[in-house]
Amino acid sequence: MRAILLSGAIALLFSLLGTRFAIVQFTKLGYGQEIREDGPTTHRTKRGTPTMGGVAIVISVLVGFIAAKLLTGDAPSATAYLLLFLLVGMAAVGFVDDFIKVFMQRNLGLRAWSKMVGQTLVAVGFGVVAIHPAMENDDGITPAADQLSFIRDFGPHFLGGDGLLFWLGGALLLAIFWVMVTGTSNATNLTDGLDGLLAASSAIVFAAYTIISIWQNNQRCGRPSVEIGTCYEVRDPLDMAILGAAISGACIGFLWWNASPAKIFMGDTGSLALGSVLAGFAIMSHTEFLLIILGGLFVMETSAVMMQVGWFKLSRKLTGTPKRIFRMTPIHHHFELLGWEQVTVVIRFWIITGLCVAAGLGIFYAEWVATI
C-alpha cells in the first residue's frame, strides 16, 4: 500500500510542477495547437495554446512509478514493463502526430494509415510479448491470458490447440488485443476535445483500476486463507495498482493546468498513450468486457462518431442527400452547439464517467460476493 500511495503522490506532484514548466517552454518554442476549421467557433480562441502536454503526463508516470519501486526496494514486474511499453510506445506515435501539427501547421497531423501503422506495431508487439511462454512466472501465468474475460476468464483457450489451430488461435488473440489497444486509444483521442474532459475522466477510470488491482492482489490465488473458487489468477496485480495510481495522479496534476480555460492541451501524445495503457489494464487484469462499462464515456464518444459517419454515408447513398444524427461529433461538440457551456458539458460528462465507474466496480464486487 505504501508503494501505491508514493507512486500516486509523486506522479501528481511531478505532473503539477512539470506541466507548468512545459507550458513555459512550449510557449517559448511556439508549440501551439491548431484548431479544426469546422469545429465550434468558440474554440478558435484556443488557437496557439501549447500542446503536447502529454509528455508531462508520461514522464510523471514514469517518475512516480520508478520512484515508488526504488523507495520500497522492489523490482518492476514483466506486467509493469509491458504497460509502460504501451504508455511510452503509443505516446511516441502521438508525439509524431503532434509534431506534424505544430511544425507543418496541419491540424490533421499524421495520415490515418501512418497513425494506424504506428498503433499496430505497438499493439501487436505488446500482445506477442504478453502471451509468450517466456513471460510465465513461477505459477505458469503469463501477463495476458489466452481467454476472453469479463471479471474472470471464460470460453475456450485460444492457444489450446496444436499445430495450425495453435497459430490460428494466436493470430485471433493478437487481433483482439489489436482491436482493444487501437480502439481504446482512438476512443480517448476522440474524447480529448474539451478542457479537462479526458484528464479527469482518465483519472477516475484509472483510479477504478487501481482499486480493482488492490482487490485482486489481496484475493489472488496462492495467498493463505483465500479460497480457490474466489481467487483471481492475475499476474502482478500489485504493480498494476502502483502504476494505476501513478497514472491517476499524473492526470490530476495535469488537470490543474488543463481545466477551463486550459493553459495547455495533452495532444495525441497524451490521449493515445492513456487509451492504450487503459486497454492494457483491462487485458492484464482479465476484465476486457468490464472496460466497456468502466469506460462508458469513451464508448459513448466513439459510438456517436460511428453512428454519425455511418448514417451520413448511408443517407447519401439512399437519398443523394447526406444527413446527420448529431449536429457535430464527437458528441461533446453536439451539446456545445445546443447551447451548453463548455464547462457544463465537461462536468456532466465527468458525472457520466463516475456513474459508469460506480456501476463497473459494483458489478466487479457483486461477482466476488456471489462466488463466496
Side-chain angles (χ1 to χ4, degrees):
M1 183 59 73
R2 188 162 65 98
I4 297 171
L5 295 175
L6 283 171
S7 180
I10 293 171
L12 189 155
L13 181 61
F14 198 90
S15 178
L16 189 64
L17 300 176
T19 303
R20 177 66 182 125
F21 177 78
I23 293 171
V24 174
Q25 296 303 314
F26 290 170
T27 300
K28 288 181 180 179
L29 295 171
Y31 292 177
Q33 174 72 42
E34 287 295 308
I35 305 298
R36 54 186 285 191
E37 295 298 329
D38 60 340
T41 56
T42 55
H43 287 216
R44 292 174 186 173
T45 58
K46 300 180 181 182
R47 186 184 301 274
T49 301
T51 187
M52 291 193 287
V55 172
I57 295 176
V58 173
I59 294 176
S60 298
V61 172
L62 293 174
V63 170
F65 179 78
I66 294 172
K69 300 300 286 186
L70 289 174
L71 291 172
T72 55
D74 294 327
S77 63
T79 297
Y81 282 123
L82 281 166
L83 290 173
L84 291 175
F85 168 75
L86 277 178
L87 182 76
V88 176
M90 207 63 80
V93 176
F95 182 85
V96 174
D97 188 57
D98 289 333
F99 184 87
I100 292 174
K101 293 176 184 177
V102 169
F103 287 92
M104 298 185 65
Q105 299 295 298
R106 180 159 60 90
N107 183 53
L108 295 178
L110 278 171
R111 302 297 181 187
W113 68 268
S114 300
K115 183 184 291 188
M116 184 56 68
V117 168
Q119 290 175 296
T120 299
L121 289 175
V122 174
V124 174
F126 158 81
V128 169
V129 177
I131 61 176
H132 198 281
M135 292 293 103
E136 291 181 354
N137 61 7
D138 294 338
D139 298 321
I141 302 175
T142 54
D146 67 340
Q147 291 177 280
L148 296 176
S149 61
F150 180 58
I151 296 173
R152 300 180 192 273
D153 296 336
F154 65 87
H157 291 268
F158 287 93
L159 303 178
D162 296 319
L164 181 60
L165 288 178
F166 174 85
W167 292 105
L168 289 176
L172 181 57
L173 185 60
L174 289 178
I176 292 172
F177 290 167
W178 173 80
V179 169
M180 287 191 64
V181 173
T182 59
T184 309
S185 61
N186 286 328
T188 50
N189 186 234
L190 290 171
T191 306
D192 185 32
L194 296 179
D195 297 351
L197 178 56
L198 180 58
S201 299
S202 296
I204 295 170
V205 178
F206 278 107
Y209 265 112
T210 301
I211 294 172
I212 288 173
S213 297
I214 292 172
W215 186 262
Q216 289 180 331
N217 182 65
N218 292 337
Q219 302 294 327
R220 70 182 185 275
C221 296
R223 289 200 66 170
S225 75
V226 177
E227 297 181 9
I228 297 297
T230 63
C231 68
Y232 299 94
E233 289 192 3
V234 177
R235 175 172 173 168
D236 311 315
L238 180 58
D239 264 10
M240 286 194 286
I242 296 170
L243 187 56
I247 298 173
S248 187
C251 287
I252 293 172
F254 181 80
L255 179 62
W256 182 269
W257 304 105
N258 183 237
S260 182
K263 300 295 188 295
I264 190 170
F265 301 133
M266 69 170 68
D268 284 15
T269 306
S271 62
L272 292 181
L274 291 174
S276 65
V277 77
L278 181 58
F281 266 80
I283 292 169
M284 293 186 172
S285 63
H286 301 197
T287 56
E288 286 98 331
F289 286 105
L290 186 63
L291 177 59
I292 297 174
I293 299 174
L294 293 171
L297 176 67
F298 309 138
V299 174
M300 181 181 75
E301 293 274 11
T302 306
S303 299
V305 172
M306 295 173 65
M307 291 167 60
Q308 182 89 322
V309 173
W311 180 243
F312 186 89
K313 293 181 177 180
L314 181 62
S315 60
R316 181 173 58 185
K317 183 177 181 180
L318 295 176
T319 67
T321 304
K323 299 179 181 180
R324 293 177 172 85
I325 300 173
F326 307 102
R327 294 193 177 189
M328 182 179 291
T329 54
I331 198 170
H332 48 257
H333 293 321
H334 169 78
F335 291 104
E336 281 190 286
L337 295 180
L338 287 179
W340 292 19
E341 293 292 334
Q342 179 182 171
V343 173
T344 301
V345 178
V346 170
I347 292 175
R348 288 178 178 173
F349 277 35
W350 289 350
I351 294 172
I352 291 173
T353 302
L355 292 173
C356 290
V357 162
L361 289 176
I363 293 170
F364 178 84
Y365 181 69
E367 189 277 340
W368 179 82
V369 170
T371 61
I372 299 177

